[in-house]
Amino acid sequence: MDIELLIQKAMKARENAYTPYSGFQVGAALLTDDGQIFTGCNIESASYTPSNCAERTAFFKAVSEGIREFQAIAIVGGPAGREELEICAPCGVCRQVMMEFCDPKTFEIILAKNPKEYQTFTLKELLPLGFGPKDLER
Ligand code: THU
């Protein structure tokens, strides 16, 4: 896995963030099992609740194209115009969407400040005891 490339793609996607209300811009790049990369940015709404996070944008783009197997996601976020980014962790709703499609033990979440500085977590680390599709099997 080319982590630097994935982070670069997330940074590029962040440039498209539509954030007139929060001014907080997030980009994500989602790596599929077959090596494709789907990117996403956050998209806000004047009525607030329809806003969508960058991570879910990337997932929904991929799933709507028929892809359901994923290896990793890189995430970058911070206030618009800020050059130096801090680590931006995914919200609870996005973690739950990851739980729907990813193996929590192996799916990697890369939280990056830039292509060289990042931390990697498994979904299981960020969503311990997560509830997912397996819990509904009978
Ligand atoms: N946001 C994301 O897109 N991903 C995250 O991981 C955290 C938060 C967005 C939602 C909203 O548009 C803005 O950042 C401020 O919460």
Side-chain angles (χ1 to χ4, degrees):
M1 181 188 340
D2 187 341
I3 293 184
E4 261 189 63
L5 174 71
L6 207 59
I7 295 168
Q8 279 165 0
K9 295 250 186 198
M11 292 175 76
K12 187 79 190 150
R14 180 170 172 263
E15 292 174 11
N16 292 330
Y18 175 73
T19 62
Y21 308 105
S22 74
F24 192 87
Q25 301 191 295
V26 184
L30 177 63
L31 180 64
T32 69
D33 271 3
D34 63 2
Q36 298 182 68
I37 296 173
F38 287 84
T39 60
C41 62
N42 54 333
I43 303 165
E44 297 182 347
S45 161
S47 60
Y48 291 11
T49 41
S51 299
N52 205 50
C53 291
E55 298 89 327
R56 274 176 290 143
T57 303
F59 267 91
F60 295 160
K61 280 170 70 180
V63 173
S64 66
E65 295 297 324
I67 311 291
R68 295 183 188 167
E69 315 277 333
F70 304 105
Q71 296 183 47
I73 190 167
I75 304 165
V76 292
R82 173 110 25 115
E83 292 228 338
E84 295 222 337
L85 299 178
E86 296 302 324
I87 294 296
C88 171
C91 79
V93 174
C94 289
R95 294 178 203 203
Q96 189 64 45
V97 168
M98 293 174 196
M99 188 73 198
E100 190 63 33
F101 296 104
C102 307
D103 179 343
K105 289 198 187 109
T106 59
F107 185 69
E108 289 187 56
I109 300 166
I110 300 151
L111 308 182
K113 293 183 178 182
N114 60 57
K116 301 266 185 220
E117 287 182 277
Y118 56 85
Q119 292 175 39
T120 302
F121 301 89
T122 63
L123 177 56
K124 193 171 169 62
E125 287 174 310
L126 295 193
L127 191 65
L129 282 179
F131 184 88
K134 285 204 163 60
D135 294 293
L136 294 182
E137 281 172 7
R138 44 184 149 158

